[in-house]
Amino acid sequence: MASEKLFKGGVEIQNGAFILRVTKDRLQAVVTMKDAKAGVQLDNNLLQKELAENGIVGGLLAAPESTGGGSFIVAKGIPPAMGDNARVKMHVKPAIPGPQRTDPDKDQVDFRELGTIVNVAKDRLLLEKIAPTQGKAGQDVFGVGIPAKPGKDSKLKYGKGVTLSPDEMKIFAALDGKFVMDDGRPTVFGEHSITGDVDMKVGNIVFGGSKLTISGEVLPGFSVKCRGDIWIGQGVNNSSVMAGGALTVIGGVVGEEAKLRAKGDITVDFVENGPKLETAGYLRVNDVLLQAHASVGKEVIATQGNGTIIGGKIIAAGSVHVKELGCEAEVVTEVCVGLVPSLQMKKQKIDEELGLWSDRLNEVIKNISALEKIKKELAAKFPADKSTLLAKCKSFMPKAMDKVNHLTEENQALELELEQMVNEVVYVYGRLFPGVVVKIGSLVRTITLEEDQSVVYFDPISHQILVRKMTRDERDAMPA
């Protein structure tokens, strides 16, 4: 057991010329000259013996380390390395609001890109707990171990919209949405609301959740995107809005730069001055479509309010239901029903490809015929290069024939599908004005006389687009 003197006044060594002390933490042994003026030299060999006699056996230095003033450190213990506390490692960093540079090579900033929403997909790892460590034990100058203090553990705190792993070490998103630290707790919200307009204070919106609600207006030049539904309370002005679900706009959609796209239904109050609308579902109009360009995957229903379509071009895979179509000024209003733009584009592509491969096949057949004739005339003198060309042509011809046959079958099937879509019609529950152009399938008719409560349809017997009076049952079945 170490002498108490080592920690207090010290122990004399080397015939009383030096005092040996040990620090209270037992991590250093220090030798101090008793009389600095005496000029006595420290005998290192004798020192090692006297250190051992006093129980100092750990961390001995090969040579004393001077600290000045006639004092030397002769032994150093190893302090314990304390354990690290449990900590959290973020795998998804919170957003840092502020303008984002659009081009790192130029000193330009897009102040519309504020990056205020952090989108995460379901099952995304958000953060994990790094377990506390035990630390590393030390050793004092007496060779006695010093235990390390382990780090403190802590439990992960979390909010809604997340899941904790079975080992309680990781947190994952339980749904698609925005990731926030709500009162220090990781939380994922499937819905996001904006109070007021989408403007410079808010910036462009990209939200990966199920619903985005905007109480105000989307101002010119801004864009809004949401994986799910979007509801806008005060209109869209020369801006872009894209929804992975349904899109509802209360108020107007105005301006040639305005663009609405949705995989679900689009519902609008009124549209004017050239906006573009595209939906895979229904287009529902609560009042007026004025000079709009719409591509609709199902039906157009404009039977609420004024229920009017004037000008522009409406392309719908299904039928169109409208109170009034066109206007007294005979503004050209184009309505196409039974027309799926994607199928039309596919048909056009197949037609072009079929024409190309048919030309190739005809050219190969001509070349084979000409080369066979030359071969017959020249017999053994038929040139080697001509022979190689003939072989290539014969090898290519079956491939070209298979390609032409495949494209022909695909084209016929597509034509049949398009022919079946001529059953879609245009229902006008009020007035149908001259200047309206109706297209059903490949046929076109321009309305020259004003009609009332009428149906524009394709007549398979005459193979024409005709206009007839709407029946009472059809009037009663007007969709809401």
Side-chain angles (χ1 to χ4, degrees):
M1 184 174 179
S3 172
E4 287 296 324
K5 292 182 179 181
L6 288 171
F7 303 99
K8 296 180 178 179
V11 176
E12 293 185 354
I13 60 173
Q14 299 204 4
N15 298 320
F18 294 89
I19 302 296
L20 171 63
R21 296 183 180 88
V22 175
T23 56
K24 289 183 179 181
D25 60 8
R26 306 165 73 95
L27 290 176
Q28 284 190 359
V30 181
V31 171
T32 304
M33 189 179 298
K34 194 172 183 181
D35 184 0
K37 297 181 180 180
V40 181
Q41 296 296 320
L42 187 63
D43 185 336
N44 193 47
N45 292 329
L46 181 57
L47 173 64
Q48 298 302 319
K49 179 181 177 182
E50 291 179 311
L51 288 175
E53 289 175 352
N54 284 278
I56 300 174
V57 295
L60 299 176
L61 300 182
E65 187 178 292
S66 176
T67 60
S71 292
F72 302 87
I73 297 173
V74 294
K76 288 182 179 180
I78 301 172
M82 298 305 168
D84 294 327
N85 293 336
R87 61 184 177 87
V88 173
K89 179 181 179 182
M90 303 295 295
H91 287 272
V92 179
K93 295 181 179 180
I96 301 176
Q100 306 296 310
R101 292 191 180 277
T102 57
D103 188 341
D105 297 325
K106 297 179 180 179
D107 190 21
Q108 295 181 354
V109 171
D110 186 350
F111 286 92
R112 295 185 181 90
E113 299 294 337
L114 300 181
T116 54
I117 298 176
V118 175
N119 291 298
V120 293
K122 182 182 178 182
D123 298 327
R124 174 73 182 276
L125 175 59
L126 303 177
L127 55 86
E128 67 175 313
K129 181 177 77 173
I130 305 301
T133 60
Q134 293 300 313
K136 186 176 180 180
Q139 185 185 68
D140 65 19
V141 294
F142 300 105
V144 178
I146 305 174
K149 185 178 181 181
K152 294 181 180 179
D153 198 3
S154 61
K155 288 188 176 182
L156 285 176
K157 297 179 181 180
Y158 56 96
K160 298 179 180 180
V162 300
T163 56
L164 184 65
S165 63
D167 61 3
E168 300 186 352
M169 296 295 286
K170 296 179 180 179
I171 290 180
F172 298 87
L175 47 86
D176 296 334
K178 63 176 180 180
F179 170 51
V180 300
M181 294 299 291
D182 186 16
D183 193 23
R185 300 171 185 266
T187 304
V188 176
F189 292 110
E191 298 186 7
H192 181 63
S193 297
I194 296 172
T195 302
D197 299 334
V198 174
D199 54 17
M200 295 297 284
K201 293 180 181 178
V202 175
N204 293 333
I205 302 298
V206 179
F207 179 52
S210 60
K211 185 176 182 180
L212 172 63
T213 301
I214 300 169
S215 67
E217 180 183 12
V218 183
L219 296 180
F222 288 90
S223 68
V224 174
K225 299 177 182 178
C226 177
R227 186 188 295 271
D229 300 337
I230 299 177
W231 187 92
I232 300 172
Q234 295 183 22
V236 173
N237 184 357
N238 277 310
S239 51
S240 173
V241 181
M242 297 175 61
L247 170 56
T248 300
V249 180
I250 307 300
V253 179
V254 299
E256 293 183 352
E257 299 301 318
K259 183 181 296 183
L260 304 186
R261 293 182 63 186
K263 290 185 178 179
D265 298 346
I266 290 180
T267 302
V268 294
D269 279 354
F270 67 91
V271 178
E272 62 183 27
N273 298 336
K276 297 177 178 61
L277 292 76
E278 182 179 337
T279 171
Y282 289 87
L283 173 59
R284 301 180 185 276
V285 183
N286 295 329
D287 200 1
V288 178
L289 282 184
L290 179 60
Q291 295 295 352
H293 301 273
S295 176
V296 182
K298 293 183 179 178
E299 296 189 341
V300 177
I301 300 175
T303 57
Q304 299 296 309
N306 289 321
T308 303
I309 299 176
I310 302 174
K313 183 175 183 178
I314 310 300
I315 301 175
S319 298
V320 170
H321 304 260
V322 59
K323 282 187 178 179
E324 291 201 349
L325 185 57
C327 64
E328 293 179 349
E330 300 187 11
V331 174
V332 175
T333 305
E334 188 172 350
V335 178
C336 309
V337 295
L339 182 62
V340 180
S342 60
L343 291 181
Q344 293 293 327
M345 292 177 64
K346 186 177 180 181
K347 178 70 166 59
Q348 182 179 350
K349 185 177 179 180
I350 290 176
D351 286 340
E352 293 174 355
E353 198 172 358
L354 180 58
L356 177 63
W357 279 96
S358 296
D359 290 343
R360 287 179 178 177
L361 179 59
N362 290 334
E363 189 67 25
V364 168
I365 292 173
K366 288 179 182 179
N367 289 340
I368 291 175
S369 178
L371 290 170
E372 288 285 9
K373 183 178 180 181
I374 296 172
K375 182 179 179 181
K376 186 175 181 180
E377 292 173 352
L378 298 180
K381 295 182 180 180
F382 189 59
D385 60 337
K386 300 287 186 183
S387 179
T388 301
L389 179 59
L390 179 59
K392 287 183 178 180
C393 288
K394 288 183 175 181
S395 176
F396 178 73
M397 187 173 72
K399 298 178 182 178
M401 292 179 67
D402 288 344
K403 188 68 175 178
V404 169
N405 291 336
H406 174 73
L407 289 170
T408 299
E409 292 175 0
E410 193 173 357
N411 195 41
Q412 290 172 347
L414 196 55
E415 285 179 347
L416 181 61
E417 186 176 358
L418 290 170
E419 285 176 4
Q420 292 174 346
M421 300 188 74
V422 297
N423 294 326
E424 305 299 340
V425 299
V426 178
Y427 297 96
V428 184
Y429 301 91
R431 290 183 295 176
L432 171 62
F433 292 96
V436 171
V437 178
V438 178
K439 182 175 182 180
I440 303 177
S442 59
L443 298 178
V444 180
R445 173 164 178 168
T446 300
I447 305 301
T448 56
L449 298 174
E450 183 175 327
E451 306 280 352
D452 188 54
Q453 294 186 335
S454 55
V455 178
V456 186
Y457 69 102
F458 171 75
D459 178 43
I461 297 176
S462 63
H463 202 72
Q464 292 181 337
I465 295 176
L466 303 179
V467 181
R468 63 170 174 80
K469 197 72 174 177
M470 183 178 288
T471 68
R472 181 174 180 177
D473 288 343
E474 288 172 333
R475 291 197 303 271
D476 292 342
M478 181 180 72

